[in-house]
Amino acid sequence: MSMTLLPLAAAPAGVDLAAAYRMAAPGLAEWLTILPVAWCLLAGAVLTAMRGATRLHPGLTVAALAVLVVMDAALLVHVATHGPVTMMMGRWLPPFGIAFTVDMLGALFALTAAVVALLVSIQALGEVDDGRRRYGFYPFLLLLMAGVSGAFLTGDLFNLYVWFEVLLIASFGLLVLGSEKTQIDGTVKYGFLNLVATTLFLIGVGLTYGALGTLNMADIAAKLAAEPLGVPAVTLAGLFLFAFAMKAAAFPVNFWLPAAYHTPNVAVSALFAGLLTKVGIYALIRVCVMLMPAATGELSLPLGLVALATMLVGSFGALAQDNLRRLFGYLVVAGIGAILAGVAIGGATGLAGAIVYAVHSMVVMAALYGVAALALAVAGSERLTTLAGLWTARPVLAALSLMLFLSAAGLPPFSGLWPKVMLIRAALEGGWWWLAAGLILMGLLTTLALGRVFLLAFWRPVADGAVAGGSATSVTPGRAVPLSLGVLGLMSALTLGFGLYPEPLIAAANEAAAGLLDPTAYRQSVFPPAMNGEGTP
């Protein structure tokens, strides 16, 4: 069987191509929607072709990610100025073609992810050895960012699944680099749970297509809003909620994260802590809140209970840990619970609080793993039973760590304060007093866990510990310490800046929440008013 593809100019007489094709060339702003993904794929392919010159990979990767930050910043400015923007692949009109649609939520998450990846790549300059470079650390990193960017920017449900697969493939490679026993064990746990979640996601995608005949997100939202009857919306919402909650490491399927994130190179742990669970959270918010709001509302009570359990499991788990990276992994889990609490509460304030918390968590959780990297570099250990005296030996590290600990605990004047205030206020206004109590308890337990870290690793005298901070031989190249300190300083400056001047971030989150609750602008970006719901003039 063969098929001939005719150019548009050679179409048979009487065929109205305008019914299926876009006849005008896209504008420059529309190209911004796909440039981040295309750029990461191109840069990763170039590095793969340069496998004989791996010494150039670190510098080229940092440069490529700096360009990615510029692209995402330009996209965010455009969306903030002009509203959501859509690019259709292959000149097909929606819902036939594959859409990249970017609103404030996607642009904000994409920019934050790019900034975190850039800072982590700078930190990795002193931590990734020649062996990991030869086995493709930097191409994997860029492929991961292609998947993350694609997930944040796509407007098609099936392609959201595709970008999940792309970032999973890259994350498997980054996890297993080094081939140590603990890495392989962590990769197996990470891979199995994420593959189960991806399978459930794919089943949901198939059921959605079977019920609605479309996978375009704007089209799904319009059809579910117009014809809710006859579609198993609650079943679909429950399936998607479970799949995305598993990817985000929510209770009761949270155990894979602290079991996996402490096993790879510390820079990889920082990247994963900052980005991967947030992709799951983004997908949950996008699909369940924007596409299926009524069905998700019916599941708000179970989701609130899951959020509470996730916060408590993560907080108590952090208190019980001796290994810094496992402890920080449990704090990532607790933060996912706080974000889910905002989704369960709903409304403009609850969703905005969840979005602000997610942006804050992307930066601060990655920075906490930077603290673990520096502890390992200067003292040769990341265990609280052996760390001591870091305040005296490394006062700059101690000061930056204290700032990050206060931010993670939600204390002023850092960025963690404002999303906690927004979420607690939304919970009390909505009658979710037990979720408000859970958020306050999570903050108290997080403060205790991080206070314990500071007292034992930084404040405790050297005589009481087995390892003196700064006296052990560095286990990473010498330049790792100043580079990591510089990255940690930048991340601390970000969380302090957001804490002292939160208005722009809160305004962006409010706009993103409003776009989720009323996706009219999102739909009109895909289906302009001059077109009907089938994509024809």
PDB file of all heavy atoms in Angstrom, residues 319 331 405-406 408-411 420 441-453:
ATOM      1  N   LEU A 319      12.299  13.262  59.268  1.00  0.00           N
ATOM      2  CA  LEU A 319      12.794  13.251  60.645  1.00  0.00           C
ATOM      3  C   LEU A 319      13.567  11.977  60.971  1.00  0.00           C
ATOM      4  O   LEU A 319      14.440  11.979  61.847  1.00  0.00           O
ATOM      5  CB  LEU A 319      11.620  13.394  61.621  1.00  0.00           C
ATOM      6  CG  LEU A 319      11.110  14.804  61.904  1.00  0.00           C
ATOM      7  CD1 LEU A 319       9.822  14.749  62.710  1.00  0.00           C
ATOM      8  CD2 LEU A 319      12.167  15.621  62.637  1.00  0.00           C
ATOM      9  N   LEU A 331      11.506  15.360  51.920  1.00  0.00           N
ATOM     10  CA  LEU A 331      10.986  16.730  51.878  1.00  0.00           C
ATOM     11  C   LEU A 331      10.366  17.042  50.518  1.00  0.00           C
ATOM     12  O   LEU A 331       9.385  17.792  50.433  1.00  0.00           O
ATOM     13  CB  LEU A 331      12.100  17.727  52.195  1.00  0.00           C
ATOM     14  CG  LEU A 331      12.643  17.709  53.620  1.00  0.00           C
ATOM     15  CD1 LEU A 331      13.673  18.815  53.809  1.00  0.00           C
ATOM     16  CD2 LEU A 331      11.521  17.849  54.640  1.00  0.00           C
ATOM     17  N   PHE A 405      17.291  26.243  54.283  1.00  0.00           N
ATOM     18  CA  PHE A 405      16.508  25.491  55.259  1.00  0.00           C
ATOM     19  C   PHE A 405      15.293  26.309  55.714  1.00  0.00           C
ATOM     20  O   PHE A 405      14.182  25.783  55.845  1.00  0.00           O
ATOM     21  CB  PHE A 405      17.364  25.125  56.469  1.00  0.00           C
ATOM     22  CG  PHE A 405      18.436  24.101  56.186  1.00  0.00           C
ATOM     23  CD1 PHE A 405      19.382  23.789  57.146  1.00  0.00           C
ATOM     24  CD2 PHE A 405      18.508  23.450  54.968  1.00  0.00           C
ATOM     25  CE1 PHE A 405      20.376  22.844  56.900  1.00  0.00           C
ATOM     26  CE2 PHE A 405      19.495  22.503  54.699  1.00  0.00           C
ATOM     27  CZ  PHE A 405      20.436  22.210  55.675  1.00  0.00           C
ATOM     28  N   LEU A 406      15.504  27.590  55.975  1.00  0.00           N
ATOM     29  CA  LEU A 406      14.395  28.444  56.377  1.00  0.00           C
ATOM     30  C   LEU A 406      13.349  28.553  55.268  1.00  0.00           C
ATOM     31  O   LEU A 406      12.137  28.556  55.530  1.00  0.00           O
ATOM     32  CB  LEU A 406      14.909  29.831  56.757  1.00  0.00           C
ATOM     33  CG  LEU A 406      15.784  29.919  58.015  1.00  0.00           C
ATOM     34  CD1 LEU A 406      16.360  31.318  58.163  1.00  0.00           C
ATOM     35  CD2 LEU A 406      14.990  29.531  59.254  1.00  0.00           C
ATOM     36  N   ALA A 408      12.770  26.269  52.862  1.00  0.00           N
ATOM     37  CA  ALA A 408      12.078  24.986  52.739  1.00  0.00           C
ATOM     38  C   ALA A 408      11.054  24.792  53.854  1.00  0.00           C
ATOM     39  O   ALA A 408      10.014  24.153  53.658  1.00  0.00           O
ATOM     40  CB  ALA A 408      13.095  23.847  52.749  1.00  0.00           C
ATOM     41  N   ALA A 409      11.333  25.350  55.023  1.00  0.00           N
ATOM     42  CA  ALA A 409      10.415  25.235  56.149  1.00  0.00           C
ATOM     43  C   ALA A 409       9.259  26.233  56.061  1.00  0.00           C
ATOM     44  O   ALA A 409       8.320  26.165  56.859  1.00  0.00           O
ATOM     45  CB  ALA A 409      11.172  25.447  57.464  1.00  0.00           C
ATOM     46  N   GLY A 410       9.316  27.161  55.109  1.00  0.00           N
ATOM     47  CA  GLY A 410       8.251  28.135  54.949  1.00  0.00           C
ATOM     48  C   GLY A 410       8.326  29.295  55.906  1.00  0.00           C
ATOM     49  O   GLY A 410       7.304  29.885  56.276  1.00  0.00           O
ATOM     50  N   LEU A 411       9.541  29.672  56.308  1.00  0.00           N
ATOM     51  CA  LEU A 411       9.722  30.764  57.266  1.00  0.00           C
ATOM     52  C   LEU A 411      10.190  32.029  56.540  1.00  0.00           C
ATOM     53  O   LEU A 411      10.867  31.952  55.512  1.00  0.00           O
ATOM     54  CB  LEU A 411      10.746  30.356  58.331  1.00  0.00           C
ATOM     55  CG  LEU A 411      10.333  29.148  59.193  1.00  0.00           C
ATOM     56  CD1 LEU A 411      11.461  28.744  60.127  1.00  0.00           C
ATOM     57  CD2 LEU A 411       9.071  29.461  59.992  1.00  0.00           C
ATOM     58  N   LYS A 420       2.725  28.882  51.463  1.00  0.00           N
ATOM     59  CA  LYS A 420       2.097  28.334  52.671  1.00  0.00           C
ATOM     60  C   LYS A 420       0.955  29.245  53.127  1.00  0.00           C
ATOM     61  O   LYS A 420      -0.133  28.771  53.486  1.00  0.00           O
ATOM     62  CB  LYS A 420       3.133  28.199  53.783  1.00  0.00           C
ATOM     63  CG  LYS A 420       4.161  27.102  53.575  1.00  0.00           C
ATOM     64  CD  LYS A 420       3.585  25.756  53.961  1.00  0.00           C
ATOM     65  CE  LYS A 420       4.665  24.677  53.873  1.00  0.00           C
ATOM     66  NZ  LYS A 420       5.696  24.848  54.901  1.00  0.00           N
ATOM     67  N   LEU A 441       1.311  21.640  60.427  1.00  0.00           N
ATOM     68  CA  LEU A 441       2.096  20.566  61.021  1.00  0.00           C
ATOM     69  C   LEU A 441       3.276  20.193  60.129  1.00  0.00           C
ATOM     70  O   LEU A 441       4.382  19.933  60.618  1.00  0.00           O
ATOM     71  CB  LEU A 441       1.202  19.348  61.261  1.00  0.00           C
ATOM     72  CG  LEU A 441       1.874  18.123  61.882  1.00  0.00           C
ATOM     73  CD1 LEU A 441       2.502  18.459  63.225  1.00  0.00           C
ATOM     74  CD2 LEU A 441       0.871  16.980  62.019  1.00  0.00           C
ATOM     75  N   MET A 442       3.056  20.177  58.810  1.00  0.00           N
ATOM     76  CA  MET A 442       4.154  19.890  57.891  1.00  0.00           C
ATOM     77  C   MET A 442       5.267  20.922  58.038  1.00  0.00           C
ATOM     78  O   MET A 442       6.455  20.590  58.053  1.00  0.00           O
ATOM     79  CB  MET A 442       3.654  19.874  56.444  1.00  0.00           C
ATOM     80  CG  MET A 442       4.719  19.487  55.421  1.00  0.00           C
ATOM     81  SD  MET A 442       4.253  19.813  53.705  1.00  0.00           S
ATOM     82  CE  MET A 442       4.661  21.546  53.584  1.00  0.00           C
ATOM     83  N   GLY A 443       4.896  22.191  58.158  1.00  0.00           N
ATOM     84  CA  GLY A 443       5.901  23.223  58.345  1.00  0.00           C
ATOM     85  C   GLY A 443       6.687  23.035  59.631  1.00  0.00           C
ATOM     86  O   GLY A 443       7.915  23.207  59.660  1.00  0.00           O
ATOM     87  N   LEU A 444       5.983  22.650  60.721  1.00  0.00           N
ATOM     88  CA  LEU A 444       6.664  22.417  61.993  1.00  0.00           C
ATOM     89  C   LEU A 444       7.626  21.243  61.897  1.00  0.00           C
ATOM     90  O   LEU A 444       8.789  21.325  62.332  1.00  0.00           O
ATOM     91  CB  LEU A 444       5.627  22.162  63.087  1.00  0.00           C
ATOM     92  CG  LEU A 444       6.172  21.751  64.458  1.00  0.00           C
ATOM     93  CD1 LEU A 444       7.052  22.854  65.035  1.00  0.00           C
ATOM     94  CD2 LEU A 444       5.032  21.415  65.403  1.00  0.00           C
ATOM     95  N   LEU A 445       7.167  20.128  61.301  1.00  0.00           N
ATOM     96  CA  LEU A 445       8.017  18.943  61.189  1.00  0.00           C
ATOM     97  C   LEU A 445       9.205  19.193  60.263  1.00  0.00           C
ATOM     98  O   LEU A 445      10.313  18.708  60.509  1.00  0.00           O
ATOM     99  CB  LEU A 445       7.191  17.757  60.693  1.00  0.00           C
ATOM    100  CG  LEU A 445       6.093  17.266  61.635  1.00  0.00           C
ATOM    101  CD1 LEU A 445       5.254  16.183  60.962  1.00  0.00           C
ATOM    102  CD2 LEU A 445       6.689  16.756  62.944  1.00  0.00           C
ATOM    103  N   THR A 446       8.974  19.945  59.181  1.00  0.00           N
ATOM    104  CA  THR A 446      10.080  20.284  58.283  1.00  0.00           C
ATOM    105  C   THR A 446      11.116  21.146  59.001  1.00  0.00           C
ATOM    106  O   THR A 446      12.328  20.954  58.839  1.00  0.00           O
ATOM    107  CB  THR A 446       9.545  21.022  57.044  1.00  0.00           C
ATOM    108  OG1 THR A 446       8.599  20.195  56.371  1.00  0.00           O
ATOM    109  CG2 THR A 446      10.675  21.366  56.090  1.00  0.00           C
ATOM    110  N   THR A 447      10.640  22.088  59.808  1.00  0.00           N
ATOM    111  CA  THR A 447      11.562  22.916  60.594  1.00  0.00           C
ATOM    112  C   THR A 447      12.384  22.061  61.548  1.00  0.00           C
ATOM    113  O   THR A 447      13.601  22.264  61.691  1.00  0.00           O
ATOM    114  CB  THR A 447      10.772  23.969  61.381  1.00  0.00           C
ATOM    115  OG1 THR A 447       9.983  24.757  60.472  1.00  0.00           O
ATOM    116  CG2 THR A 447      11.711  24.888  62.150  1.00  0.00           C
ATOM    117  N   LEU A 448      11.748  21.096  62.201  1.00  0.00           N
ATOM    118  CA  LEU A 448      12.465  20.207  63.120  1.00  0.00           C
ATOM    119  C   LEU A 448      13.495  19.357  62.371  1.00  0.00           C
ATOM    120  O   LEU A 448      14.636  19.187  62.830  1.00  0.00           O
ATOM    121  CB  LEU A 448      11.479  19.314  63.865  1.00  0.00           C
ATOM    122  CG  LEU A 448      10.553  20.010  64.877  1.00  0.00           C
ATOM    123  CD1 LEU A 448       9.552  19.011  65.446  1.00  0.00           C
ATOM    124  CD2 LEU A 448      11.365  20.646  65.994  1.00  0.00           C
ATOM    125  N   ALA A 449      13.106  18.824  61.212  1.00  0.00           N
ATOM    126  CA  ALA A 449      14.022  17.960  60.452  1.00  0.00           C
ATOM    127  C   ALA A 449      15.240  18.747  59.982  1.00  0.00           C
ATOM    128  O   ALA A 449      16.385  18.278  60.103  1.00  0.00           O
ATOM    129  CB  ALA A 449      13.292  17.340  59.270  1.00  0.00           C
ATOM    130  N   LEU A 450      15.007  19.945  59.432  1.00  0.00           N
ATOM    131  CA  LEU A 450      16.128  20.732  58.929  1.00  0.00           C
ATOM    132  C   LEU A 450      16.917  21.364  60.069  1.00  0.00           C
ATOM    133  O   LEU A 450      18.141  21.556  59.953  1.00  0.00           O
ATOM    134  CB  LEU A 450      15.617  21.802  57.968  1.00  0.00           C
ATOM    135  CG  LEU A 450      15.046  21.239  56.651  1.00  0.00           C
ATOM    136  CD1 LEU A 450      14.398  22.333  55.826  1.00  0.00           C
ATOM    137  CD2 LEU A 450      16.144  20.547  55.843  1.00  0.00           C
ATOM    138  N   GLY A 451      16.246  21.692  61.175  1.00  0.00           N
ATOM    139  CA  GLY A 451      16.979  22.164  62.349  1.00  0.00           C
ATOM    140  C   GLY A 451      17.909  21.091  62.888  1.00  0.00           C
ATOM    141  O   GLY A 451      19.033  21.383  63.323  1.00  0.00           O
ATOM    142  N   ARG A 452      17.449  19.853  62.855  1.00  0.00           N
ATOM    143  CA  ARG A 452      18.313  18.732  63.265  1.00  0.00           C
ATOM    144  C   ARG A 452      19.537  18.627  62.366  1.00  0.00           C
ATOM    145  O   ARG A 452      20.657  18.402  62.840  1.00  0.00           O
ATOM    146  CB  ARG A 452      17.497  17.443  63.220  1.00  0.00           C
ATOM    147  CG  ARG A 452      18.261  16.164  63.484  1.00  0.00           C
ATOM    148  CD  ARG A 452      17.290  15.005  63.621  1.00  0.00           C
ATOM    149  NE  ARG A 452      17.988  13.729  63.603  1.00  0.00           N
ATOM    150  CZ  ARG A 452      18.121  12.973  62.527  1.00  0.00           C
ATOM    151  NH1 ARG A 452      17.587  13.378  61.364  1.00  0.00           N
ATOM    152  NH2 ARG A 452      18.765  11.821  62.576  1.00  0.00           N
ATOM    153  N   VAL A 453      19.331  18.803  61.048  1.00  0.00           N
ATOM    154  CA  VAL A 453      20.472  18.770  60.122  1.00  0.00           C
ATOM    155  C   VAL A 453      21.457  19.872  60.467  1.00  0.00           C
ATOM    156  O   VAL A 453      22.681  19.636  60.528  1.00  0.00           O
ATOM    157  CB  VAL A 453      19.977  18.926  58.659  1.00  0.00           C
ATOM    158  CG1 VAL A 453      21.169  19.087  57.716  1.00  0.00           C
ATOM    159  CG2 VAL A 453      19.149  17.725  58.250  1.00  0.00           C
TER     160      VAL A 453
END
